[in-house]
Every structure is written in structure tokens, then in C-alpha cells.
């Protein structure tokens, strides 16, 4: 369960702040002189234990698996199928892979017509002439030396040599080198692990894991197993997804349907600490923006649409030949380099009509000039609007990074202080807590701007913006406290200030998230565009 | 570096026993493992490509026969499954490839494809569209092209 991993909601839940208050009340500076140092230490230790987060109704249930869990899950699923139908393990694995690990479907289909299913997945021996009569079950596929064998693929081997060979249940016998190359090509070349078939054309007999392990070198087989685990996760319809964290191979299981994403933001936190969205695979916590909004916003910020916007806001087109012109200085008498048309930058009208009376530019009512101005005005407003939100969005990202840097510096200073003064490690932990909170809240704020960009202007949006403003003010306040110099004398005061501010920020974040997420569920927010569905 | 036995053997067999009579290897299967200009003497009888002589380029990747050979038409051809660059849409040249298949089988399949164009799985969309909307006219174009581009020099 997610409970054992330190959860994001730690920062957002009230319970987290309760604990901090507990800690405040047991004044650690007294701990040293007291006899009950042990107890104090214990209590202090609890503070840093992962807090069991209170589940809010906006959280989703999920599990985090590591690679060993994934392997044992596959084994237990395979074993269940084995025990139901009395199959061999390798055959059950092949069947499960064929059905995308959908056990129910496999059981249903297999019960209907086992023969047909076995044939379909390539487990029934083919009707090849050389097929051996003995059944698969009692003659496991083994490498075999055959004298006078010529491989039909590489044409090596002759009358008087003996060759290491292998044939699957279908009886198509080839030399082991060709099998090895075949598997290597499939595994390393094509990344195939679901199904590696017999080399004979049209023969669909599947190579089992045990056979593959006989013919390929160890490192290829390991690659095969890695791929097989990966396909297990990808094929699995029960809702498995890899954690997007760097170098993290953990898998997260979560039950979210595509249609839920219109009202729910399934943020999951892996054991490696990486928060991600199970709905849209975004690697980060994009609450309170919905997956659809996130997708739109990320795309908008990435693609060139804003370049085009800039062009239309900062340039004008020559009224005659429509070349794009940027005025970078000089007077308003424009002469197009291309078509030599002379026109007025201000009113877009023909320059000849201006004559000497430029300053009374009396072409104001000119229809075409007016349209051109209107069009430009519009795109300028739209660009300004976008930049408003984007600047705030990216500013919080930037600030979060700067806060982290500041913390790194502070941490060094705290280290020094611990050595030179009587302060203990636990006494300076409040800074860490504050930085974490600021960082998380900045992420939330960041995404409120992405969301606000798409929101309609109405009273609901105003409420949203009030919450946003409150949180922003609180965060900036705490961020400012973080920048205050640390001195031995001022520490107790700063600590209480910072702890209070931290708690306040947390509660503001909580209010904003709860209200916004509730709003998603109640369909309270209206957007001025259609939010694409990810279902 | 000498060629793998498999390729030598295939070349040998092709000389002797080429499908439908007369494939000739025009250039020596030299160091790059390239059979160039394998020439089917003619398109299959009864097809719009009848009597045409089409040059094919056949390139064997280093992991051949584990990977399929790359085959391309060098002669222009009006066919829904063969595009302007001569690339061929054929399952055994892609995912249905099996190491037990040979150049010989590939050539046979290509001939079969010439006899039976499949506009429902097109590579050259415009040609396929033409074949679907007005098969007669399309076949006529194919014949014209065969006459124009696929005649022996």
C-alpha cells in the first residue's frame, strides 16, 4: 500500500501539521539538561518517521511494486492457471502472455475449447511431416547432437560431422547456432518477448522460456526476462504503470478509468519519491489542474504557437505584398523592401495620402487600416494573456529551484552551527520542513496558473483566484523567512515564526486543493475551451 | 571475408533452379552481399505486367537470414503495393519473415503479388485508389507502364 511510502499528502494533510505542533510543545532545548533525554529523543525521532497520511477522498488507492514483486506476481498468476488446467508452467506463461495477462479471459476461452486455444497460441504441435509423435509433455525440448545433419537455414553440417540441433514440439529441426541467432535477433534486435516462434515459415510453435535459455547466452536471456517483465506491465489490463522516476524500475498499480480523469487527478508517489500522475503519466504532481488541462498547457508551452503569436503581435504585414515586417526603429513612413509599397506604420494606410500632414494622421477611419489594427490588437491581447499566466507558471518553477539552492546553502551553515554551538540536529530541522513545503506549494501554484489560463471568467474563477492569491501570499511570506540569516541568537524566534508560517502555508494549500478538486467532482469549473478527454 | 555458406548455397541454387524459369544474377554477389539486378524474365502471364522485365535490387543485411532481405524494384511499375521508390509492401519482407524462407521464396511471393495486386493494403495510395475506383483504367495504366519501362534493352 501507499501507506508505507512517504506520501505527498503528508504536506497537505492536517495530520502532518499536528505532529509538528507536538514537537513544538516538547521543547527540545530542555531535553539536554533533563533526565528523560531518551524519551525526548524518541519523540523527536517520531517527527521524522514517515507520517501516515490521512486519506482524503481526492486521493487514489495505489500500490508500488518493485521488480521482485512483479516477478512473483507473474509466478503466482501462472501457478493459478497451472492448477486450474493442470498445465505445465511454461505453457501457462505462454498462454497468459498471449491473453495479455487477462486471466479471466484465458480461463473462459480455454474452458470452451482448449485444443483450439493451444493451437492459436502456438502450443499445439504443427502438422509438419517430421513432427514427432510423442507428446510434448513427456519429452522436454532438449539440444541434441545429430550426425550427418544439414541445417536448412545455414546449410552447414555434412554427412560425417555431427551437429548440435534443436527442434520444438513441431519437429522442425535446425542447428543450435541458428536458433541462437534467431533468438538474439528477436530479443536484442526487435525487443520481442511476447512470442518467439519456430524458425520455419508458417509454423507458429512458440519457444518457451526454458528452450530460449538453452540456446542463448546468459546476458541475452537476462535481456529477455527484462523485456518479459516490461511487457507484463505494459500488457496488463489491471492498471500497471512504470514509475517515471529516473533509474526507477518500480511499478505502480492503480485503478483509474479514463472517464474518471474528468473529475479526478490520480497522483501517485513511488517509493523512490517520484510523484507522477497515473492518469496521464506526467512526471510530477500537476494538481489542481486536470490531466486534459495539463496536456493542453504543456503542449502550448512546448510548440511553436507562441512564436507565431509573437510574430503577429510584434510585426505587421505590408498592406500590399503581405511580407512580414518588424519595425525596429525609425519613422513611421514604411517602404516595403520587397514591393516598394509606401505605407504608414500607424494606420496601415497608403503613405501618399499622408502628404505633409503626418502628425494629424487623418486616415483613422480607413476600413482596411482599422481591420489590420484590430487583428493585431487581438493577437497582442491574447499573447499578453498567455504571457501573464506563463510568466507566473515558470516563475514558480524557477523560485522552487532557487529555494532548493538556498536550502543547500542553509544546510551547510546549519552544519557549521551544530559543530560550533550547542544546537542539535533536530533543532534546525524546521528549515528543511519549510523548504519542502515551499517547494510543494510552488508546484501547486504553478499548476493553478495553467488551469486559470483556461478558466472562464466567472464568480467561481474569482473564488479560485482568491484561494490562489492566499496561498501565493503565504508561500512568498515563508520564502522570505527562508532568506533571513541564521544566527544563534535569533534561531528560537525564527523557528517559531517559520513553523507557524509553514503550518499556515500547508493549510492554505490544503484549502485550495480540496476546494478545487471538489470543484472538479462537482463540475463547478467552466473552461473557455474544450478540455480533451484522455479516456 | 568469404560469404556465409547459406548465401553461397542460395545463389548456387538460384542459378540452377530459379522459379518460373529464368532469373539471372546479373552482377556477382560481391562483398557487400548484394545481389543486384536480379531479373525475372517477365511479369506473370495474364497479369498487366505480362512480358515486362523488372529489375530488382536485393540487399542482404549482415544478420541475414535472421533478418529479411531488403528488396526494391528498380524498374518503374504501376502497382498498388509498390511505391514510387520501388519499395514493396509484402508481409514476408516484414513481420512474417522466417529464417527458413529464402530469396527464391521471396521472388516467388513477389511474382504472386504482381499477379494479384491488393489495393486494400496499399503502399502507393494514389495507385490503390485508382485500382479501387476504376480497375479497368488502372490495369490499362499498368500495362502501359510495363510496355514503357519494363522492356528489354
Amino acid at each position: 500500500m501507499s501507506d508505507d511510502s512517504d506520501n505527498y499528502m503528508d504536506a497537505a494533510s492536517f495530520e502532518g501539521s499536528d505532529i509538528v505542533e507536538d514537537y513544538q510543545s516538547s521543547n527540545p532545548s530542555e531535553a539536554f539538561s533533563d533526565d528523560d533525554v531518551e524519551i525526548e529523543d524518541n519523540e523527536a525521532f517520531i517527527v521524522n518517521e514517515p507520517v501516515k497520511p490521512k486519506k482524503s477522498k481526492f486521493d487514489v488507492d495505489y500500490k508500488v511494486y518493485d521488480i521482485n514483486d512483479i516477478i512473483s506476481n507473474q509466478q503466482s498468476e501462472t501457478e493459478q492457471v497451472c492448477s486450474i488446467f493442470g498445465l505445465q508452467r511454461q505453457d501457462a506463461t505462454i498462454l497468459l502472455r498471449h491473453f495479455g495477462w487477462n486471466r479471466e479471459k484465458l480461463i473462459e476461452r480455454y474452458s470452451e475449447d482448449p485444443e483450439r486455444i493451444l493451437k492459436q497460441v502456438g502450443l499445439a504441435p504443427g502438422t509438419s511431416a517430421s513432427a514427432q509423435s510423442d507428446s510434448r509433455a513427456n519429452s522436454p525440448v532438449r539440444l541434441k547432437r545429430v550426425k550427418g545433419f544439414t541445417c536448412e537455414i545455414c546449410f552447414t553440417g555434412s554427412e560425417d560431422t555431427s551437429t548440435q540441433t534443436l527442434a520444438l514440439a513441431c519437429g522442425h529441426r535446425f542447428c543450435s547456432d541458428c536458433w541462437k541467432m534467431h533468438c538474439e535477433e528477436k530479443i536484442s534486435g526487435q525487443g520481442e518477448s511476447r512470442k518467439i516462434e519456430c524458425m520455419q515459415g508458417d509454423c507458429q510453435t512458440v519457444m518457451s522460456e526454458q528452450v530460449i535459455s538453452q540456446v542463448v547466452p546468459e546476458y541475452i536471456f537476462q535481456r529477455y526476462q527484462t523485456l518479459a517483465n516490461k511487457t507484463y506491465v505494459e500488457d496488463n489490463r489491471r492498471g500497471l504503470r512504470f514509475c517515471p522516476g529516473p533509474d526507477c524500475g518500480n511499478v505502480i498499480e492503480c485503478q483509474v478509468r479514463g472517464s474518471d480523469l474528468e473529475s479526478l487527478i490520480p497522483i501517485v508517489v513511488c517509493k523512490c519519491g517520484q510523484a507522477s500522475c497515473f492518469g496521464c503519466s506526467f512526471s510530477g504532481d500537476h494538481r489542481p489542474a486536470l490531466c486534459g488541462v495539463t496536456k493542453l498547457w504543456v503542449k502550448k508551452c512546448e510548440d511553436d504557437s507562441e512564436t507565431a503569436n509573437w510574430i503577429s503581435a510584434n510585426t505587421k504585414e505590408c498592406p500590399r505584398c503581405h511580407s512580414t515586417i518588424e519595425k525596429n526603429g525609425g519613422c513611421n513612413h514604411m517602404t516595403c523592401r520587397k514591393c516598394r509599397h509606401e505605407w504608414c506604420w500607424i494606420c496601415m494606410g497608403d503613405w501618399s495620402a499622408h502628404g505633409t500632414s503626418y502628425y494629424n494622421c487623418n486616415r483613422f477611419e480607413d476600413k482596411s487600416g482599422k481591420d489590420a489594427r484590430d487583428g493585431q490588437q487581438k493577437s497582442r491581447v491574447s499573447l499578453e494573456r498567455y504571457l501573464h499566466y506563463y510568466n507566473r507558471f515558470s516563475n514558480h518553477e524557477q523560485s522552487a529551484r532557487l529555494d532548493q539552492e538556498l536550502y543547500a546553502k542553509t544546510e551547510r551553515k546549519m552544519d557549521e552551527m551544530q559543530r560550533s554551538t550547542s544546537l542539535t540536529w533536530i533543532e534546525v530541522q524546521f528549515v528543511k520542513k519549510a523548504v519542502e513545503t515551499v517547494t510543494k506549494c510552488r508546484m501547486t501554484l504553478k499548476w493553478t496558473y495553467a488551469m486559470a489560463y483556461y478558466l472562464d471568467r466567472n464568480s467561481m474563477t474569482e473564488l479560485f483566484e482568491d484561494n490562489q492569491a492566499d496561498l501565493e501570499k503565504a508561500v512568498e511570506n515563508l520564502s522570505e523567512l527562508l532568506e533571513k540569516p541564521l544566527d544563534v541568537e535569533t534561531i528560537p524566534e525564527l523557528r517559531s515564526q517559520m513553523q507557524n508560517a509553514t503550518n499556515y502555508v500547508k493549510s492554505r494549500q490544503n484549502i485550495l486543493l480540496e476546494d478545487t478538486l471538489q470543484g472538479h467532482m462537482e463540475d463547478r469549473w467552466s473552461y473557455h475551451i474544450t478540455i480533451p478527454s484522455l479516456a | 571475408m568469404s560469404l556465409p555458406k547459406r548465401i553461397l548455397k542460395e545463389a548456387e541454387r538460384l542459378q540452377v533452379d530459379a522459379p518460373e524459369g529464368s532469373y539471372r544474377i546479373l552482377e556477382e554477389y560481391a562483398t557487400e552481399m548484394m545481389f543486384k539486378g536480379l531479373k525475372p524474365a517477365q511479369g506473370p502471364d495474364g497479369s498487366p505486367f505480362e512480358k515486362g522485365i523488372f529489375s530488382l535490387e536485393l540487399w542482404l543485411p549482415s544478420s541475414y537470414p535472421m533478418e529479411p532481405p531488403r528488396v526494391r524494384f528498380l524498374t518503374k511499375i504501376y502497382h498498388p503495393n509498390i511505391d514510387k521508390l520501388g519499395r514493396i509492401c509484402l508481409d514476408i519482407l516484414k513481420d512474417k519473415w522466417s529464417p527458413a524462407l529464402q530469396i527464391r521464396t521471396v521472388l516467388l511471393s513477389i511474382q504472386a503479388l504482381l499477379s494479384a495486386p491488393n489495393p486494400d493494403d496499399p503502399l502507393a495510395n494514389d495507385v490503390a485508389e485508382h485500382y479501387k475506383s476504376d480497375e479497368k483504367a488502372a490495369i490499362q495504366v499498368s500495362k502501359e507502364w510495363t510496355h514503357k519501362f519494363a522492356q528489354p534493352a
Side-chain angles (χ1 to χ4, degrees), chain A residues 152-156 178 181-182 185 199-201, chain B residues 5-6 9 13 63 65-67 98-100 102:
Chain A
E152 272 303 302
I153 284 172
C154 60
F155 295 111
T156 47
C178 281
M181 273 154 65
H182 176 62
E185 169 63 24
M199 288 196 280
Q200 186 67 40
Chain B
K5 204 165 175 187
R6 152 102 184 207
K9 202 96 182 172
R13 284 193 187 176
S63 53
M66 298 305 151
E67 258 188 83
S98 131
Q102 298 182 4

Side-chain angles (χ1 to χ4, degrees), chain B:
Chain B
M1 189 195 101
S2 70
L3 284 169
K5 204 165 175 187
R6 152 102 184 207
I7 295 179
L8 293 174
K9 202 96 182 172
E10 274 205 67
E12 204 176 281
R13 284 193 187 176
L14 265 174
Q15 305 269 33
V16 185
D17 165 39
E20 298 290 303
S22 46
Y23 284 88
R24 279 183 297 140
I25 296 170
L26 292 187
E27 275 168 47
E28 277 304 303
Y29 34 88
T31 42
E32 319 93 36
M33 292 190 196
M34 169 113 93
F35 289 80
K36 205 175 175 188
L38 268 174
K39 263 185 163 184
Q42 57 190 49
D45 287 350
S47 77
F49 310 100
E50 193 178 342
K51 298 211 167 58
I53 294 180
F54 297 91
S55 299
L56 293 173
E57 181 184 85
L58 195 87
W59 183 75
L60 305 181
S62 57
S63 53
Y64 179 82
M66 298 305 151
E67 258 188 83
R70 317 269 156 82
V71 192
R72 191 166 77 91
F73 268 81
L74 296 173
T75 310
K76 256 171 96 83
I77 181 166
Y78 196 76
H79 189 289
N81 308 103
I82 300 163
D83 74 359
K84 271 191 280 202
L85 299 175
R87 294 177 298 197
I88 307 164
C89 177
L90 191 62
D91 56 355
I92 61 157
L93 291 178
K94 297 188 181 94
D95 51 326
K96 289 282 155 53
W97 172 255
S98 131
L101 295 173
Q102 298 182 4
I103 295 171
R104 193 188 126 84
T105 31
V106 169
L107 294 174
L108 276 173
S109 297
I110 291 174
Q111 266 199 332
L113 188 70
L114 291 186
S115 300
N118 177 12
D120 291 324
D121 183 19
L123 187 62
N125 280 318
D126 45 338
V127 182
E129 210 42 61
H130 196 189
Y131 258 84
K132 271 172 146 173
S133 59
D134 186 353
E135 199 179 346
K136 246 188 187 154
I139 287 177
Q140 193 52 42
V141 177
S142 294
K143 276 186 183 160
E144 278 163 23
W145 281 38
T146 307
H147 186 71
K148 220 165 160 182
F149 303 112
Q151 294 308 312

Side-chain angles (χ1 to χ4, degrees), chain A residues 74-111:
Chain A
Q74 290 180 64
Q75 281 168 351
S76 68
E77 283 179 46
T78 310
E79 242 130 58
Q80 282 188 6
V81 172
C82 288
S83 62
I84 295 173
F85 297 120
L87 287 164
Q88 287 198 338
R89 271 192 59 148
Q90 37 174 313
D91 292 356
T93 311
I94 289 168
L95 278 165
L96 277 164
R97 281 189 190 145
H98 179 85
F99 282 98
W101 294 90
N102 187 337
R103 235 178 329 165
E104 290 70 33
K105 195 170 154 198
L106 163 64
I107 291 169
E108 191 191 314
R109 294 287 185 79
Y110 190 84
S111 320

Side-chain angles (χ1 to χ4, degrees), chain A residues 322-389:
Chain A
H322 302 290
S323 308
T324 305
I325 294 166
E326 182 194 357
K327 184 167 123 72
N328 56 4
C331 79
N332 289 319
H333 179 179
M334 308 303 292
T335 306
C336 175
R337 281 280 171 88
K338 218 164 154 191
C339 69
R340 316 299 305 171
H341 176 62
E342 294 180 38
W343 50 287
C344 169
W345 180 261
I346 304 281
C347 69
M348 311 273 302
D350 203 323
W351 185 260
S352 61
H354 284 65
T356 49
S357 56
Y358 166 68
Y359 286 105
N360 304 316
C361 191
N362 60 347
R363 304 295 298 164
F364 192 73
E365 293 311 315
D366 184 70
K367 179 82 171 63
S368 63
K370 190 169 180 294
D371 286 351
R373 282 197 304 275
D374 283 354
Q376 192 185 19
Q377 197 64 35
K378 241 186 194 161
S379 61
R380 193 165 277 180
V381 168
S382 131
L383 177 67
E384 267 168 22
R385 191 180 126 76
Y386 168 71
L387 286 178
H388 170 91
Y389 290 104

